[in-house]
Amino acid sequence: MSEWDTPPLRLCIFDTRRGQEEGHELDKILFFFPAECPLPVQLSVIGLSEGLITFTTIFSPEVPCELIESERQSHILYQPESDIWMVMVVNKGKEDDEVTRDTALQVVLKEAYCLFQMFYGSIRELLQQNPDGVVARTCLYAFLPDYLADFMGAKKLRLSLIQESLAERGTIQMFSLERETALEVQSLVNLLEFWFGGGKIRHTLIIFRDLLVSTTMPPEDTANLFAYARMRLTPVLHPRTPSKKGYLGIWDTPLNAVTSSLMGNNNSDGPKLPSR
């Protein structure tokens, strides 16, 4: 891949425990975006990333390095699990505010992992259950390209959308209900539990017009799933042009309600859960 063909954003996920033997280097690659990037380039990016991680560990063994700047690129590093690394390499633009850009991309990287873990479980668990790595790679490629597509234009990183949505990430707007409506919501939850059988529905989250109506989930999971619902589920149900607030902006529809359930056996559309 020639220099001018280099994509504006590359994301790799690798396991430093794997691929240690000569000739098996590809085994450590769990995910690479874009997928069509030649294998030598993938290995080069991951090799450089491992070198940077090893070097910075000498000076900060307890706290992993999160950001490395070069003249033309930024390397955003995130270690979500032991020996599992996510590295995002972004080409610099003359008009970019480096501090804002890097902060935004760090948020994107961590949010991507949190959402992935919510739907599929930890990467290490997937690798332990299937040591060949096929299931882990299948899950990563099923989820992450679709997630990253929101931030990519034809050949350009749409950084403005990421920056504009930062203020809304992790925040939730509640919808105040009258007593009768609250009882109807509870009836809906009871009906879902009846349909799917006792014990199969672990948590419920109900959204109306991009406002949170009710949830039985922990606060952090609620924030992550709320963001995912507004980013992915809501626009699919009611495709409209988003407001200037970015990809998490309010959607202009007369009725915009999403009920999301996290179940032990999920057969609905959306991210597919691996068999456990």
Side-chain angles (χ1 to χ4, degrees):
M1 180 177 291
S2 58
E3 184 177 352
W4 51 85
D5 288 331
T6 299
L9 180 148
R10 285 163 287 173
L11 172 62
C12 59
I13 300 177
F14 57 92
D15 180 1
T16 56
R17 297 184 190 178
R18 304 170 67 92
Q20 297 299 318
E21 298 181 6
E22 186 176 354
H24 295 80
E25 291 82 4
L26 291 176
D27 192 41
K28 71 176 57 180
I29 304 176
L30 302 178
F31 175 83
F32 199 99
F33 176 88
E36 60 271 16
C37 188
L39 290 178
V41 176
Q42 295 186 29
L43 289 173
S44 175
V45 171
I46 291 178
L48 175 60
S49 300
E50 282 192 288
L52 293 173
I53 291 168
T54 301
F55 178 75
T56 55
T57 301
I58 298 174
F59 303 97
S60 180
E62 301 298 330
V63 181
C65 179
E66 294 185 344
L67 176 66
I68 296 177
E69 297 278 5
S70 65
E71 183 178 354
R72 293 190 296 180
Q73 294 179 334
S74 295
H75 290 72
I76 295 93
L77 303 94
Y78 177 48
Q79 186 182 19
E81 304 173 29
S82 177
D83 300 310
I84 301 291
W85 285 88
M86 302 176 69
V87 179
M88 185 181 289
V89 183
V90 182
N91 296 339
K92 292 184 177 181
K94 295 181 180 179
E95 72 284 357
D96 290 348
D97 178 341
E98 292 187 8
V99 175
T100 303
R101 179 201 61 223
D102 295 338
T103 300
L105 293 174
Q106 286 175 324
V107 172
V108 168
L109 205 57
K110 294 177 181 179
E111 181 182 87
Y113 173 77
C114 288
L115 288 171
F116 176 85
Q117 184 186 42
M118 179 181 296
F119 289 117
Y120 296 97
S122 73
I123 298 174
R124 181 60 64 197
E125 288 177 350
L126 295 175
L127 291 174
Q128 290 175 345
Q129 294 169 8
N130 298 270
D132 59 7
V134 173
V135 171
R137 293 186 181 96
T138 299
C139 293
L140 288 166
Y141 278 99
F143 178 76
L144 287 176
D146 186 57
Y147 174 84
L148 293 171
D150 279 318
F151 311 120
M152 300 297 298
K155 292 184 178 180
K156 185 178 181 181
L157 178 65
R158 298 192 294 178
L159 186 61
S160 59
L161 292 184
I162 305 174
Q163 295 171 339
E164 290 168 3
S165 64
L166 271 180
E168 296 188 16
R169 290 175 182 268
T171 63
I172 297 177
Q173 293 176 292
M174 297 293 297
F175 186 76
S176 300
L177 299 178
E178 296 180 355
R179 183 175 181 276
E180 292 184 359
T181 307
L183 291 175
E184 291 180 359
V185 170
Q186 186 58 49
S187 297
L188 172 61
V189 174
N190 293 339
L191 183 61
L192 288 171
E193 292 176 347
F194 174 77
W195 280 346
F196 290 100
K200 288 188 176 180
I201 293 184
R202 300 176 184 175
H203 297 285
T204 60
L205 181 145
I206 299 178
I207 300 173
F208 174 74
R209 289 181 180 171
D210 296 320
L211 301 174
L212 179 64
V213 175
S214 71
T215 179
T216 62
M217 303 173 64
E220 184 177 356
D221 290 343
T222 295
N224 288 331
L225 190 56
F226 181 78
Y228 179 81
R230 295 181 68 185
M231 176 176 68
R232 276 290 167 210
L233 304 183
T234 304
V236 170
L237 292 176
H238 301 276
R240 301 280 177 160
T241 302
S243 69
K244 294 182 179 180
K245 292 185 178 181
Y247 84 104
L248 291 181
I250 300 299
W251 293 80
D252 221 1
T253 59
L255 178 62
N256 198 352
V258 177
T259 301
S260 179
S261 303
L262 293 184
M263 295 168 286
N265 183 14
N266 189 338
N267 294 319
S268 62
D269 293 335
K272 303 301 182 183
L273 300 177
S275 57
R276 303 236 177 180

